[in-house]
Amino acid sequence: GNIVFLITIFAGVWAWMDGILPPILRLGVSLSKRKIAIVAKNGNATSLDNLLSQSKIFKNKNILRVSSVHDFGMLEEASIILVHWSDFKDEYKKILEKKTDPDALVIYAPQNEGKVSENVISELSNHRNVTITNFRGRLVNDIFVSMITSGYGQQ
């Protein structure tokens, strides 16, 4: 009986250390250090910044605002790029050029502002860690999950 109990305890501790602990540590480092670039104009930038800040998940110091193509150099500092689609849909190829393979790209494309075309979706699907979100309520979740699943080696 005691041997089975000890083996069960050991297996449980091993599984926790091997399966649960690494993502928790990766998420903790991500939340404290990784930068999120908000690529949006004017009111949309403010709205998305407020959404992230008010979630109490992301630190204000880690949120960058990119409101012009001339500021795209700042994207190199970020490991997560959040784009308001209607503001920068014509520059998506330039954004993809700044995104490195492990970076995450989250595109916020409310349907009332125009859908992302099938051709663009096909092109975006060729890149790793790209998400298209139509609902504001999904953004925080998608960014949170992107922090866990992307950006290895940048932390």
Side-chain angles (χ1 to χ4, degrees):
N2 288 340
I3 293 173
V4 172
F5 177 73
L6 289 174
I7 291 172
T8 303
I9 293 294
F10 178 75
V13 169
W14 178 263
W16 194 85
M17 302 253 319
D18 188 46
I20 296 173
L21 188 60
I24 289 172
L25 292 174
R26 193 164 41 245
L27 178 61
V29 170
S30 292
L31 290 173
S32 67
K33 294 184 179 178
R34 291 179 57 196
K35 305 271 188 217
I36 302 169
I38 297 174
V39 184
K41 295 179 181 173
N42 305 320
N44 290 332
T46 302
S47 177
L48 293 174
D49 193 332
N50 288 341
L51 178 72
L52 297 182
S53 297
Q54 291 172 0
S55 73
K56 306 281 191 234
I57 296 172
F58 311 103
K59 294 183 177 184
N60 287 338
K61 70 176 186 162
N62 293 342
I63 299 173
L64 309 170
R65 288 174 77 164
V66 178
S67 57
S68 165
V69 176
H70 304 296
D71 297 331
F72 278 7
M74 291 173 61
L75 297 179
E76 294 169 4
E77 296 176 43
S79 58
I80 297 184
I81 302 168
L82 169 59
V83 178
H84 194 282
W85 184 249
S86 64
D87 288 347
F88 284 96
K89 63 184 172 192
D90 296 331
E91 289 84 15
Y92 79 93
K93 288 184 181 187
K94 292 177 185 172
I95 294 168
L96 284 173
E97 288 172 10
K98 295 292 183 183
K99 177 194 172 303
T100 63
D101 189 50
D103 291 344
L105 174 61
V106 178
I107 296 174
Y108 175 50
Q111 290 189 353
N112 64 334
E113 296 178 9
K115 293 184 179 182
V116 180
S117 74
E118 299 275 334
N119 294 341
V120 173
I121 289 175
S122 294
E123 189 173 345
L124 292 171
S125 70
N126 291 327
H127 297 269
R128 284 192 329 141
N129 301 320
V130 175
T131 302
I132 299 174
T133 303
N134 300 114
F135 297 101
R136 205 175 146 78
R138 294 266 328 159
L139 278 177
V140 172
N141 180 60
D142 287 346
I143 292 170
F144 188 76
V145 170
S146 293
M147 285 193 155
I148 298 170
T149 60
S150 70
Y152 302 117
Q154 294 183 12
Q155 298 157 5

